[in-house]
């Protein structure tokens, strides 16, 4: 077993893959260079913090959960929903257990606990993190729509249907009715 600093460095390098792994579902609608999983995760974490703040939860915890929600994709890649019919969905907790097996116990437990909480959706912060994941996808779809990509309605509808918090539903409604550039006029 590698020493702790080596294990942490190796995991850091593995996490770096998220900067190069593209959100592959967008290729289906003609996006040549979709955002990376890391870019998606950053905005999802930021949105999770805002949702949790508005819903009365811990912004820090919600953002933390969102940061870890797609880290398993270093091992699987980003699997588009169209592949679901042909393969079983990998279990995020199992992948995380493998990814973190060599880490020091404290770090290992922090990551595994965050992934388990996100996947369980039992806490307000986990629901806000999941809603943020969906809202980030919705915002990205609206941004693509705004530059002329036509077949994004399915992403928008899917995101809206998956929201569980009232704040997220209100944000989604506002997002689909405004221009992504409207923030400049505020």
């Amino acid at each position: 077993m590698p020493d702790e600093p080596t294990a942490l460095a190796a995991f850091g390098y593995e996490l770096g893959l998220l900067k190069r792994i593209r959100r592959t579902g967008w290729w289906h609608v003609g996006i040549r260079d979709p955002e990376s999983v890391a870019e998606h995760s950053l905005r999802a974490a930021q949105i999770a913090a805002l949702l949790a703040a508005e819903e009365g939860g811990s912004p820090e915890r919600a953002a933390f959960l969102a940061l870890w929600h797609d880290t398993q994709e270093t091992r699987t890649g980003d699997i588009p929903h169209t592949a679901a019919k042909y393969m079983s969905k990998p279990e995020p907790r199992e992948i995380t257990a493998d990814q973190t097996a060599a880490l020091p116990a404290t770090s290992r437990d922090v990551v595994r606990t965050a992934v388990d909480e996100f996947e369980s959706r039992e806490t307000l912060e986990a629901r806000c993190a999941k809603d943020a994941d969906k809202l980030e996808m919705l915002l990205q779809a609206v941004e693509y729509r705004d530059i002329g990509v036509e077949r994004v309605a399915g992403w928008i509808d899917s995101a809206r249907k998956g929201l569980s918090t009232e704040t997220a539903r209100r944000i989604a409604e506002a997002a689909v009715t405004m221009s992504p550039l409207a923030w400049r006029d505020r």
Side-chain angles (χ1 to χ4, degrees), residues 37-177:
V37 173
E39 290 166 320
H40 160 74
S41 295
L42 172 64
R43 184 159 65 169
Q46 293 165 328
I47 293 168
L50 299 174
L51 288 176
E54 294 300 319
E55 291 285 325
S58 167
E60 298 84 359
R61 186 67 185 168
F64 187 74
L65 299 179
L67 280 175
W68 294 102
H69 86 279
D70 276 342
T71 55
Q72 305 79 21
E73 292 181 11
T74 63
R75 303 280 173 106
T76 65
D78 181 49
I79 302 169
H81 78 279
T82 55
K85 176 179 174 182
Y86 307 103
M87 59 192 306
S88 60
K89 183 181 184 301
E91 170 50 53
R93 292 174 189 94
E94 288 178 28
I95 298 169
T96 299
D98 289 343
Q99 287 177 310
T100 60
L103 294 181
T106 302
S107 294
R108 182 179 59 237
D109 292 347
V110 163
V111 175
R112 288 178 181 180
T113 299
V115 170
D116 182 60
E117 184 177 344
F118 178 84
E119 293 299 326
S120 297
R121 312 275 195 285
E122 293 176 1
T123 64
L124 173 61
E125 290 77 11
R127 289 187 297 279
C128 288
K130 182 59 179 177
D131 278 2
D133 179 34
K134 295 289 188 184
L135 276 175
E136 198 290 324
M137 180 180 70
L138 180 145
L139 292 171
Q140 188 64 68
V142 171
E143 289 168 347
Y144 287 147
R145 181 184 71 189
D146 201 53
I147 61 168
V149 178
E150 295 178 9
R151 296 176 299 151
V152 297
W155 275 267
I156 294 169
D157 293 342
S158 171
R160 290 174 87 176
K161 289 177 186 165
L163 298 173
S164 67
T165 64
E166 184 57 34
T167 302
R169 287 190 285 272
R170 289 192 340 259
I171 293 170
E173 182 60 32
V176 298
T177 59

